[in-house]
Amino acid sequence: LHTAYRRQRQMCIRDRSGTVQDIAPLRMVNGAMATAVAIKTDGAQTVDPACVPPVVTDKASLLAAVQACGLVGVGGAGFPTHVKLAANTIDTLLINAAECEPYLTTDCREMLECSDTIISGIAAVMKYCEIPHCIIGIERNKPECIDLLCSLTREMKGVEVKGLPMRYPQGAEKTLVETCTGREVPQFGPSGKPGLPADVGCVIMNVTSVSTLGKFLKTGIPLVTKRVTVELSLIHISEPTRRTPI
């Protein structure tokens, strides 16, 4: 569902199909200037022929696919996923499905509606990054998600689902690492910079991020939408979460 436009060896990904009308500088809300592509949409949402599932055979090709997908931490951090997965000292993949913020239900709906791509994304990361162990951390106020993922991972070697305490900020990376593994992320890493989960052999992916990877490996359609929670007590809505263009 995107139009790809290459210019000066860069790719722009758009969630609407149509015709490029202009390429011009645009001032962003933070005051920075960026190059904007103006597209006249056609309403057809035609999938670009370039959207084909990537060929992944090893870690290098997986990281290339993750980068091509435009995948970043959709839980909010926005850190490039291909950089995170490049570490070579990882023995545990942590899937952050805590969703500890009050009222948010996007990750909950992703687990209930897209469990197949969550599982395929996890399997790909474990296989090609050679990570032997995976823990899916879900707060205990989502029992239907825990039950579903327990049933789907029962036969997956090295994968376990862990119910987490219902408290904020359970989804913070250092809290998640300690709760799931008992390891403590150091204040400072070997380089003298602030400690990271990788310093204790862990890499964290948001549950929707790993699901997005699973979808990209299946369809070739990159990250062009984000699920958001709609919480309006005075307005009747049929869906508690909606996908919105990025």
PDB file of all heavy atoms in Angstrom, residues 85-99:
ATOM      1  N   LEU A  85      19.268  -5.541  16.424  1.00  0.00           N
ATOM      2  CA  LEU A  85      19.448  -6.973  16.181  1.00  0.00           C
ATOM      3  C   LEU A  85      20.850  -7.331  15.700  1.00  0.00           C
ATOM      4  O   LEU A  85      21.177  -8.512  15.595  1.00  0.00           O
ATOM      5  CB  LEU A  85      18.428  -7.461  15.150  1.00  0.00           C
ATOM      6  CG  LEU A  85      16.963  -7.439  15.582  1.00  0.00           C
ATOM      7  CD1 LEU A  85      16.073  -7.916  14.442  1.00  0.00           C
ATOM      8  CD2 LEU A  85      16.738  -8.294  16.819  1.00  0.00           C
ATOM      9  N   ALA A  86      21.689  -6.331  15.423  1.00  0.00           N
ATOM     10  CA  ALA A  86      23.036  -6.599  14.918  1.00  0.00           C
ATOM     11  C   ALA A  86      23.983  -7.104  15.999  1.00  0.00           C
ATOM     12  O   ALA A  86      25.043  -7.642  15.680  1.00  0.00           O
ATOM     13  CB  ALA A  86      23.609  -5.339  14.273  1.00  0.00           C
ATOM     14  N   ALA A  87      23.626  -6.953  17.272  1.00  0.00           N
ATOM     15  CA  ALA A  87      24.502  -7.387  18.366  1.00  0.00           C
ATOM     16  C   ALA A  87      24.762  -8.890  18.282  1.00  0.00           C
ATOM     17  O   ALA A  87      23.880  -9.667  17.903  1.00  0.00           O
ATOM     18  CB  ALA A  87      23.868  -7.035  19.710  1.00  0.00           C
ATOM     19  N   ASN A  88      25.975  -9.283  18.643  1.00  0.00           N
ATOM     20  CA  ASN A  88      26.373 -10.693  18.543  1.00  0.00           C
ATOM     21  C   ASN A  88      26.479 -11.394  19.889  1.00  0.00           C
ATOM     22  O   ASN A  88      26.940 -12.528  19.955  1.00  0.00           O
ATOM     23  CB  ASN A  88      27.715 -10.797  17.807  1.00  0.00           C
ATOM     24  CG  ASN A  88      27.621 -10.365  16.353  1.00  0.00           C
ATOM     25  OD1 ASN A  88      26.675 -10.718  15.659  1.00  0.00           O
ATOM     26  ND2 ASN A  88      28.584  -9.577  15.895  1.00  0.00           N
ATOM     27  N   THR A  89      26.083 -10.728  20.961  1.00  0.00           N
ATOM     28  CA  THR A  89      26.248 -11.306  22.300  1.00  0.00           C
ATOM     29  C   THR A  89      24.907 -11.632  22.947  1.00  0.00           C
ATOM     30  O   THR A  89      24.803 -11.700  24.167  1.00  0.00           O
ATOM     31  CB  THR A  89      27.022 -10.323  23.195  1.00  0.00           C
ATOM     32  OG1 THR A  89      26.310  -9.066  23.241  1.00  0.00           O
ATOM     33  CG2 THR A  89      28.423 -10.080  22.662  1.00  0.00           C
ATOM     34  N   ILE A  90      23.886 -11.858  22.140  1.00  0.00           N
ATOM     35  CA  ILE A  90      22.523 -12.016  22.653  1.00  0.00           C
ATOM     36  C   ILE A  90      22.174 -13.492  22.839  1.00  0.00           C
ATOM     37  O   ILE A  90      22.375 -14.300  21.930  1.00  0.00           O
ATOM     38  CB  ILE A  90      21.500 -11.361  21.700  1.00  0.00           C
ATOM     39  CG1 ILE A  90      21.861  -9.889  21.451  1.00  0.00           C
ATOM     40  CG2 ILE A  90      20.090 -11.495  22.258  1.00  0.00           C
ATOM     41  CD1 ILE A  90      21.938  -9.048  22.694  1.00  0.00           C
ATOM     42  N   ASP A  91      21.656 -13.828  24.001  1.00  0.00           N
ATOM     43  CA  ASP A  91      21.159 -15.186  24.214  1.00  0.00           C
ATOM     44  C   ASP A  91      19.672 -15.224  24.521  1.00  0.00           C
ATOM     45  O   ASP A  91      19.065 -16.293  24.584  1.00  0.00           O
ATOM     46  CB  ASP A  91      21.927 -15.892  25.341  1.00  0.00           C
ATOM     47  CG  ASP A  91      21.818 -15.165  26.683  1.00  0.00           C
ATOM     48  OD1 ASP A  91      20.711 -14.754  27.068  1.00  0.00           O
ATOM     49  OD2 ASP A  91      22.854 -15.000  27.353  1.00  0.00           O
ATOM     50  N   THR A  92      19.049 -14.038  24.718  1.00  0.00           N
ATOM     51  CA  THR A  92      17.629 -13.992  25.059  1.00  0.00           C
ATOM     52  C   THR A  92      16.927 -12.867  24.308  1.00  0.00           C
ATOM     53  O   THR A  92      17.350 -11.709  24.367  1.00  0.00           O
ATOM     54  CB  THR A  92      17.421 -13.777  26.568  1.00  0.00           C
ATOM     55  OG1 THR A  92      18.090 -14.808  27.295  1.00  0.00           O
ATOM     56  CG2 THR A  92      15.932 -13.807  26.917  1.00  0.00           C
ATOM     57  N   LEU A  93      15.874 -13.228  23.583  1.00  0.00           N
ATOM     58  CA  LEU A  93      15.000 -12.261  22.926  1.00  0.00           C
ATOM     59  C   LEU A  93      13.817 -12.006  23.845  1.00  0.00           C
ATOM     60  O   LEU A  93      13.097 -12.929  24.211  1.00  0.00           O
ATOM     61  CB  LEU A  93      14.522 -12.815  21.584  1.00  0.00           C
ATOM     62  CG  LEU A  93      13.405 -12.043  20.865  1.00  0.00           C
ATOM     63  CD1 LEU A  93      13.879 -10.653  20.462  1.00  0.00           C
ATOM     64  CD2 LEU A  93      12.910 -12.823  19.646  1.00  0.00           C
ATOM     65  N   LEU A  94      13.621 -10.753  24.232  1.00  0.00           N
ATOM     66  CA  LEU A  94      12.485 -10.379  25.076  1.00  0.00           C
ATOM     67  C   LEU A  94      11.443  -9.663  24.222  1.00  0.00           C
ATOM     68  O   LEU A  94      11.753  -8.670  23.560  1.00  0.00           O
ATOM     69  CB  LEU A  94      12.927  -9.459  26.222  1.00  0.00           C
ATOM     70  CG  LEU A  94      13.903 -10.033  27.248  1.00  0.00           C
ATOM     71  CD1 LEU A  94      14.238  -8.981  28.304  1.00  0.00           C
ATOM     72  CD2 LEU A  94      13.324 -11.274  27.904  1.00  0.00           C
ATOM     73  N   ILE A  95      10.224 -10.189  24.231  1.00  0.00           N
ATOM     74  CA  ILE A  95       9.128  -9.551  23.518  1.00  0.00           C
ATOM     75  C   ILE A  95       8.325  -8.737  24.521  1.00  0.00           C
ATOM     76  O   ILE A  95       7.713  -9.280  25.446  1.00  0.00           O
ATOM     77  CB  ILE A  95       8.223 -10.586  22.821  1.00  0.00           C
ATOM     78  CG1 ILE A  95       9.053 -11.434  21.848  1.00  0.00           C
ATOM     79  CG2 ILE A  95       7.078  -9.883  22.104  1.00  0.00           C
ATOM     80  CD1 ILE A  95       9.750 -10.654  20.752  1.00  0.00           C
ATOM     81  N   ASN A  96       8.341  -7.427  24.349  1.00  0.00           N
ATOM     82  CA  ASN A  96       7.676  -6.520  25.285  1.00  0.00           C
ATOM     83  C   ASN A  96       6.200  -6.395  24.918  1.00  0.00           C
ATOM     84  O   ASN A  96       5.828  -5.660  24.004  1.00  0.00           O
ATOM     85  CB  ASN A  96       8.355  -5.152  25.254  1.00  0.00           C
ATOM     86  CG  ASN A  96       7.834  -4.220  26.347  1.00  0.00           C
ATOM     87  OD1 ASN A  96       6.850  -4.529  27.011  1.00  0.00           O
ATOM     88  ND2 ASN A  96       8.495  -3.093  26.520  1.00  0.00           N
ATOM     89  N   ALA A  97       5.378  -7.150  25.628  1.00  0.00           N
ATOM     90  CA  ALA A  97       3.932  -7.077  25.434  1.00  0.00           C
ATOM     91  C   ALA A  97       3.257  -6.644  26.731  1.00  0.00           C
ATOM     92  O   ALA A  97       2.099  -6.955  26.976  1.00  0.00           O
ATOM     93  CB  ALA A  97       3.392  -8.434  24.979  1.00  0.00           C
ATOM     94  N   ALA A  98       4.017  -5.923  27.563  1.00  0.00           N
ATOM     95  CA  ALA A  98       3.473  -5.501  28.858  1.00  0.00           C
ATOM     96  C   ALA A  98       2.319  -4.518  28.691  1.00  0.00           C
ATOM     97  O   ALA A  98       1.281  -4.641  29.339  1.00  0.00           O
ATOM     98  CB  ALA A  98       4.582  -4.863  29.697  1.00  0.00           C
ATOM     99  N   GLU A  99       2.525  -3.537  27.785  1.00  0.00           N
ATOM    100  CA  GLU A  99       1.532  -2.466  27.575  1.00  0.00           C
ATOM    101  C   GLU A  99       1.006  -1.977  28.922  1.00  0.00           C
ATOM    102  O   GLU A  99      -0.183  -2.075  29.231  1.00  0.00           O
ATOM    103  CB  GLU A  99       0.389  -2.945  26.682  1.00  0.00           C
ATOM    104  CG  GLU A  99      -0.411  -1.779  26.112  1.00  0.00           C
ATOM    105  CD  GLU A  99      -1.279  -2.171  24.945  1.00  0.00           C
ATOM    106  OE1 GLU A  99      -1.963  -3.209  25.023  1.00  0.00           O
ATOM    107  OE2 GLU A  99      -1.279  -1.452  23.935  1.00  0.00           O
TER     108      GLU A  99
END
